[in-house]
Amino acid sequence: MGSCVSTEPGEESLKTQKSAGMLKKGKSGKNDVVGNIGNIGGLSAVGGDDGDFEGGSTNANDFVKKASIKMDEKNANKMKKPAPNLCPTCEKDITHAESVKRALGSTWHPECFVCPKCKKDMRREDPVEKDGYPFHEKCFIEEFGTKCGICNEVVVGEQMEALGKTYHPKCFVCDVCTQPLKGQIHHENGKLYCNADYVETFKPRCGGCEKALAGFFIVALDQKFHKDCFTCAKCKTVLQEYEEHEGKPYCEMCDPNRKAFVCSICEIDLTGKSYLENLWKEPYCQEHDGLYPLCTVCNTMVCQLPRKGEPPRCKHCTENTNVDSDKTKEILEKVLNDLKQCGLTIPKTFPVRLVDQAKINTYASKVHKGMPSCTRFDGPDPMEILVRKGMVVEEVESAIAHEVGHIYLNLNGYPKLKPIVEEGVSEMFRVKYLEQQVDPEPGFGFGPQIRPDALERIKRVAENQSMIFGGGYRGLLEGMKSARMSLPQALEHIYKHTWFPS
């Protein structure tokens, strides 16, 4: 499965692309062209500092013009300092010389007062001093002057400074169009670029039309595309979701791996037709809606006729009733971990045992008889959770979450509560667990969403007409809303007052 990222200009450089957002899964399992809204704007390369320049960008208005002699800082300590009592040029003792020349803070043999670079006599010249040595101005500039950032020749006279470098005016032009640089400028690989030519030269290119990308673009299959260039490899339809085959994107209809998309009841091809789905994504024709019974476990449309003498069950619930003791341990751990995310923790755990309904009725309280689960107590202490055999995994999870509510109240020393309060708390534990069950295939743009079957179970709790179970849950929920309390806060209130907050 692949994902796509859309981006736009304005916030980051070409070399530091970012994205943030969400992947969408389509209704029938397709990959979506979407997603993360980031950008590649700025149209600038990433440069080093002035001392180790790699590349960069600035505004042409930031450059300055100068006409002075500027010394290259890298050559600032190149000359050797003259030693006292020695001629700086020949380095011989000058103490007893017949004649000397005193200049630039040192004493010289007259014939040794020469330019260190061209070796010409400097006694009748106006020297430029560098570290106590006399230079002709031309020699000084050649030896120590600042080099142009493009041609590497010494810059004399008018010069342009930008991006931490100095340039001849004739070199301060775009390397591509040779026009004087204005506005946003860029330096890359030893060359200067105007903004338009830099974008054309360095900006990422579309994997479809191969033109430079600008504005929003899509990232998919390790390539970047204009949104209108990301099309099906066969029919050329612009893709909003896609299937990948041999590195190419296809629409659902052209996908070489596509399986027949048929009604789960009559097996008529649903391609291009409107259809409905039950909780478990089983598609069926609209005309079948209401003609088949609802599943007695999950209350969704049953897409097959029930077996004779058995209650109607959907395909999912028929195939997922093989819960064993090992599975119950895994389920209990999952329930406890998910409830912990809501701030609901019990100090120790208890085994879960699968039994028939008669066994549950033996240990269940009066209000719990006939329910698919109960907690078996030894005196005041809980011993184990009993769950009816033959239930699907999701129903077992829901039942265990309810029983954990009872155990929580017991282990935390709550006073004896009226059945409506205790069952209301336990039903709230069930709902909080169900709210953690996220659909692995969320709808686009809405973030993680609760699984449809979990939503159905929450609905059953909220609409339960039992005064004890449904009434208790609604009483607690309304009290939390009225008092603006979280569940942990409401539980503290119940501990103190043995009744719902209000």
Side-chain angles (χ1 to χ4, degrees), residues 381-485:
D381 302 320
M383 296 296 294
E384 61 181 348
I385 297 173
L386 304 179
V387 178
R388 187 174 65 205
K389 293 178 181 178
M391 294 201 301
V392 295
V393 172
E394 293 81 10
E395 284 291 307
V396 174
E397 293 173 351
S398 177
I400 290 176
H402 175 94
E403 298 306 324
V404 168
H406 288 292
I407 294 174
Y408 177 93
L409 296 174
N410 180 274
L411 294 181
N412 284 284
Y414 276 68
K416 185 174 179 59
L417 302 173
K418 292 183 178 180
I420 189 173
V421 177
E422 181 161 347
E423 297 302 338
V425 168
S426 294
E427 287 292 82
M428 183 62 75
F429 268 66
R430 186 200 303 268
V431 169
K432 288 299 179 184
Y433 169 74
L434 291 171
E435 288 176 347
Q436 301 297 311
Q437 309 317 299
V438 176
D439 192 338
E441 302 178 2
F444 171 61
F446 298 101
Q449 297 193 29
I450 301 173
R451 275 193 339 243
D453 64 293
L455 284 173
E456 177 62 30
R457 290 181 172 84
I458 293 172
K459 180 181 177 182
R460 286 192 215 170
V461 173
E463 295 179 355
N464 190 339
Q465 295 304 304
S466 164
M467 180 62 70
I468 300 297
F469 292 90
Y473 168 75
R474 290 188 291 273
L476 176 54
L477 181 63
E478 291 168 5
M480 289 166 59
K481 289 181 179 179
S482 177
R484 296 183 178 181
M485 289 183 177

Side-chain angles (χ1 to χ4, degrees), residues 251-460:
C251 65
E252 180 185 4
M253 301 307 300
C254 297
D255 179 18
N257 298 321
R258 178 176 174 267
K259 297 179 181 179
F261 185 55
V262 299
C263 172
S264 298
I265 296 174
C266 66
E267 298 187 350
I268 289 178
D269 190 351
L270 293 176
T271 302
K273 298 180 180 179
S274 297
Y275 62 91
L276 299 174
E277 289 181 338
N278 66 7
L279 287 178
W280 308 108
K281 308 289 186 181
E282 293 178 289
Y284 57 91
C285 300
Q286 288 181 309
E287 46 267 34
H288 297 318
D289 194 37
L291 300 180
Y292 282 71
L294 298 181
C295 176
T296 54
V297 177
C298 66
N299 204 39
T300 193
M301 173 84 163
V302 175
C303 293
Q304 69 249 359
L305 292 173
R307 296 174 183 174
K308 187 175 182 180
E310 293 185 2
R313 283 191 174 186
C314 66
K315 182 179 179 180
H316 174 86
C317 294
T318 300
E319 296 176 350
N320 288 274
T321 57
N322 55 338
V323 179
D324 55 22
S325 58
D326 289 335
K327 185 66 174 178
T328 60
K329 294 177 183 177
E330 179 184 322
I331 292 173
L332 177 61
E333 183 177 354
K334 179 180 185 302
V335 170
L336 295 178
N337 285 337
D338 285 359
L339 288 174
K340 190 175 182 180
Q341 301 300 315
C342 306
L344 304 171
T345 306
I346 62 173
K348 61 180 180 178
T349 61
F350 298 89
V352 177
R353 186 154 60 101
L354 299 173
V355 298
D356 56 30
Q357 188 63 52
K359 179 67 74 174
I360 292 175
N361 292 341
T362 300
Y363 293 102
S365 63
K366 183 177 180 180
V367 298
H368 249 280
K369 292 187 184 299
M371 301 299 291
S373 65
C374 75
T375 301
R376 183 172 75 85
F377 287 84
D378 182 8
D381 302 320
M383 296 296 294
E384 61 181 348
I385 297 173
L386 304 179
V387 178
R388 187 174 65 205
K389 293 178 181 178
M391 294 201 301
V392 295
V393 172
E394 293 81 10
E395 284 291 307
V396 174
E397 293 173 351
S398 177
I400 290 176
H402 175 94
E403 298 306 324
V404 168
H406 288 292
I407 294 174
Y408 177 93
L409 296 174
N410 180 274
L411 294 181
N412 284 284
Y414 276 68
K416 185 174 179 59
L417 302 173
K418 292 183 178 180
I420 189 173
V421 177
E422 181 161 347
E423 297 302 338
V425 168
S426 294
E427 287 292 82
M428 183 62 75
F429 268 66
R430 186 200 303 268
V431 169
K432 288 299 179 184
Y433 169 74
L434 291 171
E435 288 176 347
Q436 301 297 311
Q437 309 317 299
V438 176
D439 192 338
E441 302 178 2
F444 171 61
F446 298 101
Q449 297 193 29
I450 301 173
R451 275 193 339 243
D453 64 293
L455 284 173
E456 177 62 30
R457 290 181 172 84
I458 293 172
K459 180 181 177 182
R460 286 192 215 170

Side-chain angles (χ1 to χ4, degrees), residues 29-45:
K30 298 170 284 298
N31 298 296
D32 285 348
V33 173
V34 262
N36 305 333
I37 303 302
N39 57 70
I40 62 160
L43 308 182
S44 62

Side-chain angles (χ1 to χ4, degrees), residues 152-297:
N152 206 36
E153 296 292 329
V154 174
V155 180
V156 180
E158 187 178 46
Q159 45 189 258
M160 318 295 282
E161 291 188 359
L163 300 169
K165 288 185 175 289
T166 302
Y167 306 89
H168 293 110
K170 66 178 182 180
C171 295
F172 198 65
V173 296
C174 174
D175 189 76
V176 178
C177 67
T178 70
Q179 297 298 309
L181 291 167
K182 299 178 181 180
Q184 190 78 6
I185 61 176
H186 307 267
H187 183 287
E188 188 74 23
N189 300 327
K191 298 178 181 179
L192 289 171
Y193 297 87
C194 64
N195 196 60
D197 287 321
Y198 181 83
V199 169
E200 184 64 26
T201 304
F202 293 101
K203 201 168 186 181
R205 295 187 173 275
C206 174
C209 67
E210 297 186 354
K211 294 181 180 179
L213 291 165
F216 283 94
F217 66 89
I218 288 169
V219 179
L221 305 176
D222 297 323
Q223 296 186 72
K224 303 177 181 69
F225 300 86
H226 292 110
K227 62 180 181 179
D228 293 332
C229 293
F230 188 65
T231 60
C232 173
K234 185 175 181 179
C235 69
K236 304 304 178 183
T237 302
V238 175
L239 297 173
Q240 295 298 318
E241 51 191 19
Y242 72 97
E243 299 290 347
E244 179 184 357
H245 178 71
E246 295 182 352
K248 296 180 180 180
Y250 291 87
C251 65
E252 180 185 4
M253 301 307 300
C254 297
D255 179 18
N257 298 321
R258 178 176 174 267
K259 297 179 181 179
F261 185 55
V262 299
C263 172
S264 298
I265 296 174
C266 66
E267 298 187 350
I268 289 178
D269 190 351
L270 293 176
T271 302
K273 298 180 180 179
S274 297
Y275 62 91
L276 299 174
E277 289 181 338
N278 66 7
L279 287 178
W280 308 108
K281 308 289 186 181
E282 293 178 289
Y284 57 91
C285 300
Q286 288 181 309
E287 46 267 34
H288 297 318
D289 194 37
L291 300 180
Y292 282 71
L294 298 181
C295 176
T296 54
V297 177

Side-chain angles (χ1 to χ4, degrees), residues 77-198:
N77 298 315
K78 188 173 182 179
M79 297 300 296
K80 181 180 178 181
K81 293 284 185 181
N85 301 323
L86 298 179
C87 174
T89 300
C90 67
E91 297 185 343
K92 293 181 180 179
D93 190 350
I94 202 169
T95 306
H96 304 291
E98 293 182 1
S99 64
V100 296
K101 179 175 178 59
R102 300 185 189 279
L104 306 180
S106 298
T107 304
W108 314 69
H109 294 117
E111 65 275 14
C112 291
F113 193 67
V114 298
C115 173
K117 182 172 177 62
C118 67
K119 306 303 180 183
K120 292 182 179 181
D121 191 345
M122 293 295 296
R123 283 176 287 182
R124 299 180 185 278
E125 303 289 340
D126 184 15
V128 176
E129 187 262 349
K130 171 71 170 78
D131 294 338
Y133 289 86
F135 283 84
H136 286 111
E137 181 176 326
K138 180 180 178 182
C139 292
F140 176 85
I141 292 172
E142 290 176 354
E143 188 73 11
F144 302 107
T146 300
K147 305 293 193 302
C148 174
I150 296 298
C151 69
N152 206 36
E153 296 292 329
V154 174
V155 180
V156 180
E158 187 178 46
Q159 45 189 258
M160 318 295 282
E161 291 188 359
L163 300 169
K165 288 185 175 289
T166 302
Y167 306 89
H168 293 110
K170 66 178 182 180
C171 295
F172 198 65
V173 296
C174 174
D175 189 76
V176 178
C177 67
T178 70
Q179 297 298 309
L181 291 167
K182 299 178 181 180
Q184 190 78 6
I185 61 176
H186 307 267
H187 183 287
E188 188 74 23
N189 300 327
K191 298 178 181 179
L192 289 171
Y193 297 87
C194 64
N195 196 60
D197 287 321
Y198 181 83

